[in-house]
Amino acid sequence: MPTALKTRAAAIATAAAIAVGGALITATPASAVGSYSCNWTWAYAQDMKTNTAVNLRNGPSTSYYSKGLLSKGTRFKEYCNKDFNWSYGKVLTGANAGKWGWVYSSYLDF
């Protein structure tokens, strides 16, 4: 069977499975961990600053990959916290401004 025909057959089979309530299993890129891992969500987001250079991580542990390095003094808006050890929020200044991720809480000050 020619490659173009195989591709079209796969697309039709996938569409048919979805149309009849089937599920298509896909892997999530790099296992991103969002705010749903938080134990504490603040009523108001807290404005913080990094007190040293620190990694912005994809999840609340050093086993998650770094999304970028935040330099000392980078503004970070903390929306929630996991076990009072990891803060989840948005970077407000610097090269990583606009990115969401996790920062170890000891490296943040008010």
Side-chain angles (χ1 to χ4, degrees):
M1 182 183 284
T3 304
L5 192 53
K6 285 181 186 178
T7 303
R8 184 164 171 83
I12 290 170
T14 301
I18 292 171
V20 294
L24 182 63
I25 300 173
T26 59
T28 58
S31 300
V33 177
S35 63
Y36 58 84
S37 290
C38 293
N39 298 105
W40 309 101
T41 301
W42 311 124
Y44 299 98
Q46 303 184 89
D47 287 324
M48 313 284 278
K49 280 187 180 180
T50 58
N51 56 30
T52 189
V54 63
N55 285 299
L56 177 70
R57 297 207 174 265
N58 197 41
S61 164
T62 56
S63 63
Y64 289 92
Y65 76 85
S66 175
K67 297 172 83 174
L69 187 65
L70 308 182
S71 59
K72 181 179 179 180
T74 299
R75 289 181 47 231
F76 182 82
K77 188 168 283 270
E78 181 190 45
Y79 287 88
C80 63
N81 192 285
K82 180 166 179 64
D83 301 326
F84 296 103
N85 289 318
W86 288 90
S87 299
Y88 180 78
K90 183 177 182 180
V91 180
L92 301 177
T93 60
N96 294 290
K99 288 185 181 179
W100 288 79
W102 294 86
V103 174
Y104 193 67
S105 300
S106 294
Y107 300 129
L108 296 171
D109 291 326
F110 290 98

